[in-house]
Amino acid sequence: MIVAEPKPIKELLEMVQDFNKILVIGCKGCVTVCNVGGLKEVGILASTLKIARKKDGREIEVGEHVLERQCDPEYIDEVKDIIDDYDAVISLACGVGPQFLSERYPSARIFPGVNTKFMGGAVEHGVWSERCAGCGQCVIHYFGGLCPIARCSKSLMNGPCGGSSHGKCEISDDVDCIWDIIVRKMMAQGRLDELVKFRPPKSWTTARDGGPRKMVREELVI
Amino acid sequence: MNDFKPQIVAFCCSNCASSAAAVADGMKKTLPDNVKIIQVPCTGRIEILHLLKAFEQGADGVYVAGCQDDSCRYISGIKKAAKRVAGVKRILEEIEMDPERINIFNLCAGQGQRFVEVAYEMINRLKEIGPSPVK
Ligand code: SF4
Ligand code: SF4
């Protein structure tokens, strides 16, 4: 999933300080799963905005809406009859959502309510960890099914650097050295020799280095 | 003592805190009428939004009264509630309201006296803090 965290309330209050009718739009996709932008969080933000404004003696009207996904035009359409009733919109989806809203509703003022962090998953309740950097050409099968691009601090593709120590990365004791894990796993599977096989350099043109990406699948285009 | 009468919402677990309330009743100790009790099957059911709604509606203070950490009927309800109360404290801080407007107390079913005491503890704390600016 795409993992995000809430923006500080202060920052959000500043963003919308000139507006008195605000629509908070959540998303039932990734941000619901990482507890940052689903039905519950829409309610919490709406209530917090109201408390903060009432405290300052300022009127505010906050609408709440949750879309199936904010990364599909058909769901974005769902708010077409209500969005004009508001001065501003806070989207609690990942960075994709508020952009789809901005593109579909060019006159609306759209604000991001979360900070989008990475593609990853929950390793335990309340703890998420990065797994994929979206390089556009997956090669994890060379590395015991683990991604050195997303999980090595230097994205090294040819083994650990000199900073690997007792299984930890030199940047922090909180960060596992993925190369330590890869090597141990390959040893356990008796495939260590595969790591020294020659492979041509990875093409980064499929990653962000190739500019903004777009994908067309002809069999699906209507 | 000032004569400000804080309006307080108390979320009470039906296993321990409410039994404590019954014991208090038997001891002829009653809660002041400015403390409004909301009974919940387990404090673990209380969401951040429930707590915020009380403030949104103008409560001066909110507290949760539940079991001891090691005697929650549903194992970890009170610990979850404690984390949510801490979450609301953080929200209050962020919007520059006194986080002491919300608190959590651990009770036992037999503690009628303590049940009434925590209500007065909150009342006194809120008298010091003053009325909620959210009206
Ligand atoms: S808008 Fe973002 S958070 Fe919502 S489903 Fe799409 S990718 Fe996930
Ligand atoms: S190799 Fe590329 S696509 Fe595969 S997990 Fe790593 S970053 Fe993601």
Side-chain angles (χ1 to χ4, degrees):
Chain A
M1 80 183 100
I2 294 182
V3 180
E5 67 176 11
K7 270 196 182 289
I9 301 293
K10 272 210 169 105
E11 189 183 338
L12 287 174
L13 283 167
E14 255 175 54
M15 279 180 182
V16 297
Q17 62 183 349
D18 297 330
F19 305 103
N20 297 324
K21 286 181 88 179
I22 295 161
L23 177 61
V24 180
I25 307 184
C27 172
K28 291 188 194 165
C30 318
V31 290
T32 287
V33 186
C34 65
N35 304 74
V36 73
L39 182 68
K40 261 190 198 176
E41 293 77 24
V42 166
I44 290 171
L45 178 60
S47 183
T48 306
L49 290 173
K50 285 187 246 178
I51 294 172
R53 276 292 181 86
K54 279 191 191 174
K55 172 184 151 274
D56 295 339
R58 286 186 60 195
E59 277 306 308
I60 189 171
E61 188 186 320
V62 186
E64 301 174 31
H65 202 93
V66 185
L67 296 174
E68 199 59 36
R69 281 193 294 281
Q70 289 190 26
C71 50
D72 268 318
E74 51 266 55
Y75 297 119
I76 292 287
D77 257 5
E78 215 180 274
V79 290
K80 67 176 187 304
D81 296 329
I82 57 167
I83 199 161
D84 287 339
D85 298 340
Y86 295 90
D87 312 328
V89 174
I90 298 177
S91 163
L92 290 188
C94 74
V96 178
Q99 294 191 58
F100 265 56
L101 285 164
S102 295
E103 288 161 33
R104 170 67 178 79
Y105 304 107
S107 59
R109 295 293 305 272
I110 313 281
F111 296 90
V114 304
N115 289 327
T116 305
K117 307 294 278 188
F118 50 76
M119 282 185 270
V123 284
E124 56 185 278
H125 212 80
V127 182
W128 291 268
S129 167
E130 185 166 14
R131 287 292 181 272
C132 173
C135 76
Q137 199 197 5
C138 198
V139 288
I140 58 170
H141 51 300
Y142 298 153
F143 307 108
L146 303 161
C147 178
I149 301 167
R151 301 175 68 184
C152 162
S153 302
K154 302 178 177 109
S155 293
L156 294 176
M157 305 276 289
N158 57 349
C161 74
S164 176
S165 169
H166 303 292
K168 295 294 173 189
C169 172
E170 66 179 344
I171 67 156
S172 161
D173 281 347
D174 280 347
V175 178
D176 289 329
C177 168
I178 194 64
W179 268 107
D180 188 273
I181 299 172
I182 291 170
V183 168
R184 284 178 203 283
K185 183 163 177 192
M186 293 299 265
M187 280 166 72
Q189 290 189 349
R191 300 194 296 129
L192 192 59
D193 57 314
E194 287 182 30
L195 282 180
V196 295
K197 265 197 195 139
F198 171 76
R199 300 191 202 283
K202 182 171 165 59
S203 163
W204 293 98
T205 56
T206 56
R208 267 287 303 159
D209 310 48
R213 289 169 282 180
K214 184 176 176 176
M215 192 180 79
V216 181
R217 283 181 54 195
E218 287 300 345
E219 75 279 22
L220 296 174
V221 176
I222 306 172
Chain B
M1 267 298 156
N2 60 37
D3 46 353
F4 160 54
K5 202 175 171 188
Q7 294 303 312
I8 297 174
V9 179
F11 291 88
C12 296
C13 155
S14 61
N15 296 300
C16 55
S18 300
S19 312
V23 174
D25 214 34
M27 293 160 75
K28 301 268 180 282
K29 289 183 187 298
T30 45
L31 280 186
D33 62 0
N34 51 332
V35 179
K36 187 171 167 33
I37 301 273
I38 296 177
Q39 212 182 78
V40 289
C42 171
T43 51
R45 178 63 188 88
I46 304 166
E47 299 280 355
I48 285 182
L49 187 57
H50 297 136
L51 303 167
L52 285 177
K53 282 286 172 195
F55 286 112
E56 191 187 318
Q57 301 299 318
D60 297 300
V62 174
Y63 68 88
V64 172
C67 309
Q68 300 290 327
D69 278 356
D70 58 359
S71 61
C72 172
R73 177 157 181 177
Y74 299 104
I75 303 168
S76 59
I78 187 69
K79 288 186 188 150
K80 290 187 179 120
K83 289 194 169 171
R84 290 173 195 155
V85 166
V88 174
K89 278 181 183 284
R90 277 195 296 275
I91 292 175
L92 292 180
E93 263 173 353
E94 274 198 90
I95 59 173
E96 288 166 5
M97 277 175 68
D98 196 323
E100 286 302 306
R101 286 188 186 279
I102 184 163
N103 245 305
I104 184 160
F105 299 94
N106 303 93
L107 299 176
C108 294
Q111 288 182 316
Q113 171 84 14
R114 179 77 189 127
F115 181 75
V116 178
E117 271 170 21
V118 299
Y120 280 101
E121 241 176 84
M122 275 308 280
I123 290 173
N124 291 334
R125 188 175 300 175
L126 287 161
K127 279 190 167 188
E128 276 169 31
I129 299 172
S132 165
V134 184
K135 294 286 179 192

mmCIF file of all heavy atoms in Angstrom, chain A residues 99-128:
data_model
loop_
_atom_site.group_PDB
_atom_site.id
_atom_site.type_symbol
_atom_site.label_atom_id
_atom_site.label_comp_id
_atom_site.label_asym_id
_atom_site.label_seq_id
_atom_site.Cartn_x
_atom_site.Cartn_y
_atom_site.Cartn_z
ATOM 1 N N GLN A 99 -4.475 15.415 -6.292
ATOM 2 C CA GLN A 99 -4.170 15.817 -7.675
ATOM 3 C C GLN A 99 -5.300 15.423 -8.622
ATOM 4 O O GLN A 99 -5.655 16.191 -9.520
ATOM 5 C CB GLN A 99 -2.865 15.180 -8.136
ATOM 6 C CG GLN A 99 -1.677 15.706 -7.356
ATOM 7 C CD GLN A 99 -0.377 15.279 -7.979
ATOM 8 O OE1 GLN A 99 -0.118 15.571 -9.142
ATOM 9 N NE2 GLN A 99 0.427 14.592 -7.207
ATOM 10 N N PHE A 100 -5.865 14.243 -8.412
ATOM 11 C CA PHE A 100 -7.027 13.854 -9.235
ATOM 12 C C PHE A 100 -8.176 14.831 -8.995
ATOM 13 O O PHE A 100 -8.884 15.217 -9.917
ATOM 14 C CB PHE A 100 -7.438 12.409 -8.931
ATOM 15 C CG PHE A 100 -6.830 11.410 -9.881
ATOM 16 C CD1 PHE A 100 -5.457 11.348 -10.047
ATOM 17 C CD2 PHE A 100 -7.619 10.550 -10.632
ATOM 18 C CE1 PHE A 100 -4.884 10.443 -10.943
ATOM 19 C CE2 PHE A 100 -7.064 9.636 -11.527
ATOM 20 C CZ PHE A 100 -5.686 9.584 -11.684
ATOM 21 N N LEU A 101 -8.341 15.247 -7.742
ATOM 22 C CA LEU A 101 -9.397 16.220 -7.432
ATOM 23 C C LEU A 101 -9.095 17.565 -8.098
ATOM 24 O O LEU A 101 -9.968 18.189 -8.700
ATOM 25 C CB LEU A 101 -9.522 16.411 -5.914
ATOM 26 C CG LEU A 101 -10.197 15.275 -5.138
ATOM 27 C CD1 LEU A 101 -9.923 15.398 -3.642
ATOM 28 C CD2 LEU A 101 -11.714 15.262 -5.384
ATOM 29 N N SER A 102 -7.827 18.002 -8.008
ATOM 30 C CA SER A 102 -7.433 19.294 -8.600
ATOM 31 C C SER A 102 -7.665 19.306 -10.099
ATOM 32 O O SER A 102 -8.068 20.315 -10.671
ATOM 33 C CB SER A 102 -5.953 19.583 -8.351
ATOM 34 O OG SER A 102 -5.708 19.741 -6.991
ATOM 35 N N GLU A 103 -7.378 18.163 -10.751
ATOM 36 C CA GLU A 103 -7.533 18.097 -12.204
ATOM 37 C C GLU A 103 -9.006 18.056 -12.595
ATOM 38 O O GLU A 103 -9.427 18.699 -13.559
ATOM 39 C CB GLU A 103 -6.793 16.866 -12.749
ATOM 40 C CG GLU A 103 -5.272 17.055 -12.704
ATOM 41 C CD GLU A 103 -4.492 15.744 -12.786
ATOM 42 O OE1 GLU A 103 -4.960 14.804 -13.464
ATOM 43 O OE2 GLU A 103 -3.416 15.657 -12.155
ATOM 44 N N ARG A 104 -9.810 17.342 -11.827
ATOM 45 C CA ARG A 104 -11.229 17.188 -12.172
ATOM 46 C C ARG A 104 -12.017 18.462 -11.845
ATOM 47 O O ARG A 104 -12.977 18.795 -12.512
ATOM 48 C CB ARG A 104 -11.801 15.977 -11.416
ATOM 49 C CG ARG A 104 -13.312 15.800 -11.463
ATOM 50 C CD ARG A 104 -13.813 15.458 -12.858
ATOM 51 N NE ARG A 104 -15.255 15.235 -12.873
ATOM 52 C CZ ARG A 104 -16.163 16.199 -12.878
ATOM 53 N NH1 ARG A 104 -15.789 17.457 -12.851
ATOM 54 N NH2 ARG A 104 -17.456 15.905 -12.897
ATOM 55 N N TYR A 105 -11.615 19.168 -10.784
ATOM 56 C CA TYR A 105 -12.347 20.369 -10.359
ATOM 57 C C TYR A 105 -11.415 21.576 -10.380
ATOM 58 O O TYR A 105 -10.905 21.998 -9.342
ATOM 59 C CB TYR A 105 -12.936 20.159 -8.956
ATOM 60 C CG TYR A 105 -13.833 18.935 -8.884
ATOM 61 C CD1 TYR A 105 -13.421 17.776 -8.239
ATOM 62 C CD2 TYR A 105 -15.080 18.937 -9.506
ATOM 63 C CE1 TYR A 105 -14.236 16.636 -8.207
ATOM 64 C CE2 TYR A 105 -15.894 17.808 -9.488
ATOM 65 C CZ TYR A 105 -15.464 16.668 -8.839
ATOM 66 O OH TYR A 105 -16.261 15.553 -8.813
ATOM 67 N N PRO A 106 -11.171 22.145 -11.565
ATOM 68 C CA PRO A 106 -10.137 23.174 -11.714
ATOM 69 C C PRO A 106 -10.372 24.443 -10.894
ATOM 70 O O PRO A 106 -9.410 25.128 -10.550
ATOM 71 C CB PRO A 106 -10.163 23.512 -13.213
ATOM 72 C CG PRO A 106 -11.157 22.618 -13.852
ATOM 73 C CD PRO A 106 -11.859 21.825 -12.824
ATOM 74 N N SER A 107 -11.626 24.739 -10.537
ATOM 75 C CA SER A 107 -11.827 25.982 -9.785
ATOM 76 C C SER A 107 -11.781 25.753 -8.270
ATOM 77 O O SER A 107 -11.798 26.706 -7.494
ATOM 78 C CB SER A 107 -13.163 26.626 -10.176
ATOM 79 O OG SER A 107 -14.194 25.716 -9.912
ATOM 80 N N ALA A 108 -11.712 24.505 -7.835
ATOM 81 C CA ALA A 108 -11.735 24.228 -6.389
ATOM 82 C C ALA A 108 -10.349 24.421 -5.778
ATOM 83 O O ALA A 108 -9.332 24.247 -6.446
ATOM 84 C CB ALA A 108 -12.218 22.806 -6.150
ATOM 85 N N ARG A 109 -10.329 24.809 -4.495
ATOM 86 C CA ARG A 109 -9.064 24.920 -3.770
ATOM 87 C C ARG A 109 -8.851 23.607 -3.020
ATOM 88 O O ARG A 109 -9.591 23.289 -2.095
ATOM 89 C CB ARG A 109 -9.120 26.094 -2.777
ATOM 90 C CG ARG A 109 -9.240 27.459 -3.452
ATOM 91 C CD ARG A 109 -7.999 27.834 -4.246
ATOM 92 N NE ARG A 109 -6.773 27.781 -3.471
ATOM 93 C CZ ARG A 109 -6.296 28.799 -2.762
ATOM 94 N NH1 ARG A 109 -6.927 29.959 -2.755
ATOM 95 N NH2 ARG A 109 -5.176 28.679 -2.072
ATOM 96 N N ILE A 110 -7.841 22.866 -3.442
ATOM 97 C CA ILE A 110 -7.611 21.525 -2.885
ATOM 98 C C ILE A 110 -6.319 21.524 -2.053
ATOM 99 O O ILE A 110 -5.281 21.998 -2.527
ATOM 100 C CB ILE A 110 -7.463 20.479 -4.020
ATOM 101 C CG1 ILE A 110 -8.563 20.633 -5.079
ATOM 102 C CG2 ILE A 110 -7.381 19.056 -3.457
ATOM 103 C CD1 ILE A 110 -9.899 20.062 -4.742
ATOM 104 N N PHE A 111 -6.404 20.974 -0.844
ATOM 105 C CA PHE A 111 -5.227 20.917 0.035
ATOM 106 C C PHE A 111 -4.923 19.470 0.438
ATOM 107 O O PHE A 111 -5.848 18.699 0.682
ATOM 108 C CB PHE A 111 -5.472 21.752 1.296
ATOM 109 C CG PHE A 111 -5.635 23.221 1.001
ATOM 110 C CD1 PHE A 111 -6.893 23.750 0.729
ATOM 111 C CD2 PHE A 111 -4.540 24.059 0.975
ATOM 112 C CE1 PHE A 111 -7.049 25.103 0.439
ATOM 113 C CE2 PHE A 111 -4.685 25.414 0.683
ATOM 114 C CZ PHE A 111 -5.940 25.940 0.420
ATOM 115 N N PRO A 112 -3.628 19.133 0.534
ATOM 116 C CA PRO A 112 -3.279 17.771 0.982
ATOM 117 C C PRO A 112 -3.340 17.685 2.507
ATOM 118 O O PRO A 112 -2.756 18.513 3.198
ATOM 119 C CB PRO A 112 -1.833 17.606 0.489
ATOM 120 C CG PRO A 112 -1.268 19.005 0.491
ATOM 121 C CD PRO A 112 -2.420 19.952 0.245
ATOM 122 N N GLY A 113 -4.036 16.676 3.023
ATOM 123 C CA GLY A 113 -4.163 16.538 4.478
ATOM 124 C C GLY A 113 -3.173 15.567 5.085
ATOM 125 O O GLY A 113 -3.097 15.433 6.298
ATOM 126 N N VAL A 114 -2.430 14.865 4.223
ATOM 127 C CA VAL A 114 -1.458 13.893 4.745
ATOM 128 C C VAL A 114 -0.108 14.095 4.042
ATOM 129 O O VAL A 114 -0.038 14.717 2.982
ATOM 130 C CB VAL A 114 -1.926 12.428 4.533
ATOM 131 C CG1 VAL A 114 -3.296 12.188 5.141
ATOM 132 C CG2 VAL A 114 -1.928 12.039 3.055
ATOM 133 N N ASN A 115 0.926 13.569 4.672
ATOM 134 C CA ASN A 115 2.228 13.515 4.009
ATOM 135 C C ASN A 115 2.436 12.082 3.521
ATOM 136 O O ASN A 115 2.450 11.146 4.326
ATOM 137 C CB ASN A 115 3.352 13.895 4.977
ATOM 138 C CG ASN A 115 3.315 15.376 5.312
ATOM 139 O OD1 ASN A 115 2.944 16.208 4.473
ATOM 140 N ND2 ASN A 115 3.688 15.718 6.537
ATOM 141 N N THR A 116 2.557 11.925 2.208
ATOM 142 C CA THR A 116 2.721 10.592 1.626
ATOM 143 C C THR A 116 4.169 10.157 1.792
ATOM 144 O O THR A 116 5.084 10.907 1.447
ATOM 145 C CB THR A 116 2.320 10.631 0.142
ATOM 146 O OG1 THR A 116 0.990 11.145 0.075
ATOM 147 C CG2 THR A 116 2.363 9.249 -0.478
ATOM 148 N N LYS A 117 4.369 8.971 2.353
ATOM 149 C CA LYS A 117 5.729 8.577 2.740
ATOM 150 C C LYS A 117 6.374 7.568 1.789
ATOM 151 O O LYS A 117 7.451 7.793 1.289
ATOM 152 C CB LYS A 117 5.734 7.981 4.153
ATOM 153 C CG LYS A 117 5.077 8.845 5.219
ATOM 154 C CD LYS A 117 5.829 10.126 5.480
ATOM 155 C CE LYS A 117 6.985 9.894 6.415
ATOM 156 N NZ LYS A 117 7.610 11.186 6.811
ATOM 157 N N PHE A 118 5.723 6.420 1.595
ATOM 158 C CA PHE A 118 6.390 5.376 0.792
ATOM 159 C C PHE A 118 5.435 4.244 0.446
ATOM 160 O O PHE A 118 4.292 4.206 0.913
ATOM 161 C CB PHE A 118 7.605 4.818 1.547
ATOM 162 C CG PHE A 118 7.323 4.398 2.975
ATOM 163 C CD1 PHE A 118 6.651 3.210 3.243
ATOM 164 C CD2 PHE A 118 7.732 5.183 4.051
ATOM 165 C CE1 PHE A 118 6.399 2.810 4.547
ATOM 166 C CE2 PHE A 118 7.465 4.795 5.366
ATOM 167 C CZ PHE A 118 6.806 3.602 5.612
ATOM 168 N N MET A 119 5.946 3.318 -0.390
ATOM 169 C CA MET A 119 5.200 2.090 -0.671
ATOM 170 C C MET A 119 5.735 1.019 0.266
ATOM 171 O O MET A 119 6.948 0.738 0.272
ATOM 172 C CB MET A 119 5.446 1.652 -2.117
ATOM 173 C CG MET A 119 4.638 2.446 -3.114
ATOM 174 S SD MET A 119 4.862 1.777 -4.755
ATOM 175 C CE MET A 119 6.258 2.724 -5.327
ATOM 176 N N GLY A 120 4.854 0.479 1.060
ATOM 177 C CA GLY A 120 5.319 -0.511 2.029
ATOM 178 C C GLY A 120 4.151 -1.229 2.666
ATOM 179 O O GLY A 120 3.072 -1.324 2.078
ATOM 180 N N GLY A 121 4.371 -1.710 3.873
ATOM 181 C CA GLY A 121 3.307 -2.440 4.549
ATOM 182 C C GLY A 121 3.489 -2.351 6.053
ATOM 183 O O GLY A 121 4.488 -1.817 6.548
ATOM 184 N N ALA A 122 2.494 -2.904 6.775
ATOM 185 C CA ALA A 122 2.540 -2.872 8.239
ATOM 186 C C ALA A 122 3.344 -4.082 8.712
ATOM 187 O O ALA A 122 2.971 -5.221 8.452
ATOM 188 C CB ALA A 122 1.127 -2.917 8.805
ATOM 189 N N VAL A 123 4.453 -3.839 9.403
ATOM 190 C CA VAL A 123 5.251 -4.954 9.924
ATOM 191 C C VAL A 123 4.759 -5.376 11.302
ATOM 192 O O VAL A 123 4.987 -6.489 11.752
ATOM 193 C CB VAL A 123 6.760 -4.618 9.951
ATOM 194 C CG1 VAL A 123 7.343 -4.684 8.547
ATOM 195 C CG2 VAL A 123 7.038 -3.255 10.573
ATOM 196 N N GLU A 124 4.094 -4.473 11.985
ATOM 197 C CA GLU A 124 3.325 -4.807 13.182
ATOM 198 C C GLU A 124 2.270 -3.727 13.330
ATOM 199 O O GLU A 124 2.290 -2.746 12.578
ATOM 200 C CB GLU A 124 4.208 -4.923 14.435
ATOM 201 C CG GLU A 124 5.028 -3.694 14.738
ATOM 202 C CD GLU A 124 5.979 -3.908 15.908
ATOM 203 O OE1 GLU A 124 5.522 -3.792 17.050
ATOM 204 O OE2 GLU A 124 7.173 -4.178 15.653
ATOM 205 N N HIS A 125 1.351 -3.908 14.288
ATOM 206 C CA HIS A 125 0.271 -2.946 14.418
ATOM 207 C C HIS A 125 0.848 -1.550 14.712
ATOM 208 O O HIS A 125 1.583 -1.379 15.680
ATOM 209 C CB HIS A 125 -0.665 -3.375 15.554
ATOM 210 C CG HIS A 125 -2.066 -2.978 15.297
ATOM 211 N ND1 HIS A 125 -2.892 -3.685 14.468
ATOM 212 C CD2 HIS A 125 -2.769 -1.904 15.708
ATOM 213 C CE1 HIS A 125 -4.056 -3.073 14.397
ATOM 214 N NE2 HIS A 125 -4.012 -1.996 15.141
ATOM 215 N N GLY A 126 0.553 -0.599 13.850
ATOM 216 C CA GLY A 126 1.027 0.767 14.088
ATOM 217 C C GLY A 126 2.439 1.040 13.594
ATOM 218 O O GLY A 126 2.977 2.120 13.812
ATOM 219 N N VAL A 127 3.067 0.056 12.935
ATOM 220 C CA VAL A 127 4.436 0.252 12.428
ATOM 221 C C VAL A 127 4.478 -0.141 10.950
ATOM 222 O O VAL A 127 4.129 -1.264 10.590
ATOM 223 C CB VAL A 127 5.467 -0.604 13.214
ATOM 224 C CG1 VAL A 127 6.892 -0.354 12.694
ATOM 225 C CG2 VAL A 127 5.397 -0.320 14.705
ATOM 226 N N TRP A 128 4.910 0.784 10.106
ATOM 227 C CA TRP A 128 4.974 0.519 8.668
ATOM 228 C C TRP A 128 6.405 0.624 8.184
ATOM 229 O O TRP A 128 7.207 1.367 8.752
ATOM 230 C CB TRP A 128 4.116 1.542 7.897
ATOM 231 C CG TRP A 128 2.648 1.360 8.130
ATOM 232 C CD1 TRP A 128 1.795 0.607 7.393
ATOM 233 C CD2 TRP A 128 1.857 1.912 9.195
ATOM 234 N NE1 TRP A 128 0.517 0.655 7.925
ATOM 235 C CE2 TRP A 128 0.532 1.446 9.029
ATOM 236 C CE3 TRP A 128 2.137 2.744 10.282
ATOM 237 C CZ2 TRP A 128 -0.506 1.802 9.890
ATOM 238 C CZ3 TRP A 128 1.109 3.090 11.144
ATOM 239 C CH2 TRP A 128 -0.194 2.620 10.937
#
